[in-house]
Amino acid sequence: MRILLASLALAAFASAQNCSNLSATNSANGSRLNIALTNGAAGAPAILVVGQTAGSTTVNFGIATLNLGVAMPFVPAPLGVTDATGSASISLRIPTNLPGMNLVLQGFTLAIGGISLPTGPGGPGLPGFPGGNLPMPTLTFCTSNVATAHIGN
């Protein structure tokens, strides 16, 4: 029973869902690679993970865990801040002399919650917070599907 309660408590602080969609176009040398994330969290930072192999990677942030479908090694890159519909996109020019390669891509948005400013006198400890306690911050990840793209010749 304790394990079940602990699991429920942890789930309340961090949740990861495959709730967004990522699309990418194949791109030849001299053209553009277009990447679009849709249905993510609105107004949230969007991150793109780029690797060469699909797999399973778990990243522990202490108060949250991010589960990815891209194997290490990979490179995280900012995709931008999502708009009101949870969308962000980028268009990258592919150099004319790039050798061909396959990419494995996954995007996610990151929502930070549980942080508030003091609104009145608090109890002993931290002034302004009820009982003198800081609220527990939360991280929520909205991961996308894993997409593939071929770039170069």
Side-chain angles (χ1 to χ4, degrees):
M1 183 70 169
R2 285 187 210 162
I3 293 173
L4 177 62
L5 291 175
S7 298
L8 291 173
L10 288 174
F13 291 118
S15 61
Q17 317 167 27
N18 189 354
C19 59
S20 58
N21 185 54
L22 185 73
S23 62
T25 59
N26 292 331
S27 185
N29 290 352
S31 64
R32 301 191 80 75
L33 171 63
N34 298 307
I35 302 168
L37 180 77
T38 57
N39 299 322
I47 309 296
L48 179 69
V49 176
V50 182
Q52 291 188 305
T53 309
S56 179
T57 300
T58 301
V59 183
N60 187 346
F61 289 93
I63 60 170
T65 301
L66 173 63
N67 296 306
L68 297 170
V70 179
M72 294 281 275
F74 58 76
V75 176
L79 189 56
V81 175
T82 58
D83 63 17
T85 67
S87 298
S89 62
I90 192 167
S91 182
L92 305 169
R93 190 182 72 75
I94 303 302
T96 56
N97 58 350
L98 185 72
M101 68 178 74
N102 294 317
L103 300 177
V104 178
L105 312 162
Q106 187 172 18
F108 65 91
T109 55
L110 169 65
I112 302 171
I115 299 172
S116 60
L117 296 175
T119 57
L126 298 168
F129 290 98
N133 297 317
L134 286 172
M136 177 63 105
T138 60
L139 297 177
T140 303
F141 301 104
C142 175
T143 57
S144 75
N145 57 299
V146 174
T148 58
H150 180 83
I151 60 171
N153 291 332

